[in-house]
Amino acid sequence: MALVLFVTMFGAYTCYICLNQISVERSKSMLFGTIVTRNQCEIHAIPPEEIPYVHFPQPKTYSRDECSCTPVRFFVILSMQRSGSGWFETLLNSHPNISSNGEIFSAARRRDNISTIINTLDKLYSLDWFSSAAKNECVAAVGFKWMLNQGVMDHHKEILDYFKLKHVSIIFLFRRNILRRLISLLANDYDRYAKQLNGIHKSHVHSTEEAEVLARFKPTINVAVLMANFSYVERTIADCLHFFSSMRHIVLYYEEIIGNQNALSHVQEFLSVPERKLVSRQVKIHTRPLPEQVTNWEDVSKMLNGTRYEHFLGHSDYGG
């Protein structure tokens, strides 16, 4: 009887230990799924300092198949409307290994609160986000553009924590000449209601004919609030850099991308993708001298002359 009791107790103890080991292994697998995948894939060729930024997503909606061990970098473009982000994103998407998915937070329901924001980010970085920019399963860099007025500044602490957890690289993209940005913003707001192109609003165009139609509108700038507007834009950009510059990042300006042929090479190096010639079908809308783009140019010039913004009056996007 003593022997039978001993064997029974020993058997029960053994089963208990085995079940606990299975539970622990399952927990580890769920918690460190990315690490398990990383261990299954060859990463010895990746420099040690870059390994934290390498991911091997496992989409729920499809299988990456033979590309399951193709490393993916996560990125985000932080910018402001009418700063060249749309044009810049078309350049990125002309690369076969880059997928930038537009303004995913332009829809207010996706940024109602931090939970919906995180859920949206998770879906995108798991490669389960479908858009016209989505590449095949062998994409090597995936991201989107996030306008500063679309919730990112309101929840900057939680979003920074998320970026750190996911090792998201940041591309800051701004425009140095914020006067030209303002003119573009006012013209775009006007067309949102006027719909000058056959009853359709277009923020970006692909022909010189369409660009000329949109460029005919000349906004009137409210000079009474012009300086306050410039100060607000500068403060917003400064806050953004302060909140997120602790992350791996690169700072770009629209004017420099146009004037510096090496700028796009640096971006591709930053995203660790093979260098390609990047192209865009977009056509610039406002190409005329600034005095021809504003109805009350004399008032604007008088307001800015003698201030630290005076150089905006003669500044060209093309460096001329």
Side-chain angles (χ1 to χ4, degrees), residues 109-173:
R109 68 181 184 280
R110 296 179 187 147
R111 49 184 164 91
D112 282 339
N113 52 62
I114 189 61
S115 295
T116 58
I117 289 175
I118 296 301
N119 290 337
T120 301
L121 292 173
D122 281 343
K123 186 175 182 180
L124 182 130
Y125 288 129
S126 67
L127 304 188
D128 283 314
W129 189 271
F130 295 102
S131 72
S132 59
K135 298 293 198 303
N136 59 32
E137 56 271 16
C138 291
V139 65
V142 62
F144 67 104
K145 61 175 181 174
W146 202 343
M147 301 295 101
L148 301 190
N149 63 348
Q150 294 175 352
V152 63
M153 302 294 280
D154 299 327
H155 305 280
H156 62 90
K157 292 182 179 179
E158 297 89 341
I159 292 167
L160 177 62
D161 289 340
Y162 180 90
F163 285 169
K164 288 180 177 179
L165 180 66
K166 294 287 188 177
H167 293 93
V168 177
S169 297
I170 298 178
I171 299 174
F172 295 106
L173 175 61

Side-chain angles (χ1 to χ4, degrees), residues 90-121:
T90 60
L91 289 170
L92 291 185
N93 282 324
S94 71
H95 194 292
N97 303 121
I98 301 176
S99 178
S100 191
N101 293 273
E103 294 180 38
I104 65 175
F105 290 110
S106 61
R109 68 181 184 280
R110 296 179 187 147
R111 49 184 164 91
D112 282 339
N113 52 62
I114 189 61
S115 295
T116 58
I117 289 175
I118 296 301
N119 290 337
T120 301
L121 292 173

Side-chain angles (χ1 to χ4, degrees), residues 35-103:
I35 297 176
V36 171
T37 304
R38 193 171 284 170
N39 288 337
Q40 293 172 347
C41 298
E42 295 292 336
I43 61 172
H44 60 271
I46 301 173
E49 66 274 12
E50 292 187 21
I51 290 178
Y53 299 95
V54 169
H55 307 273
F56 300 93
Q58 297 176 306
K60 297 178 181 178
T61 51
Y62 65 94
S63 172
R64 296 187 73 202
D65 295 326
E66 69 275 9
C67 295
S68 59
C69 281
T70 298
V72 179
R73 270 80 172 181
F74 297 161
F75 71 90
V76 60
I77 304 166
L78 295 183
S79 187
M80 304 180 78
Q81 283 85 355
R82 315 311 295 178
S83 296
S85 63
W87 168 70
F88 176 70
E89 195 172 43
T90 60
L91 289 170
L92 291 185
N93 282 324
S94 71
H95 194 292
N97 303 121
I98 301 176
S99 178
S100 191
N101 293 273
E103 294 180 38

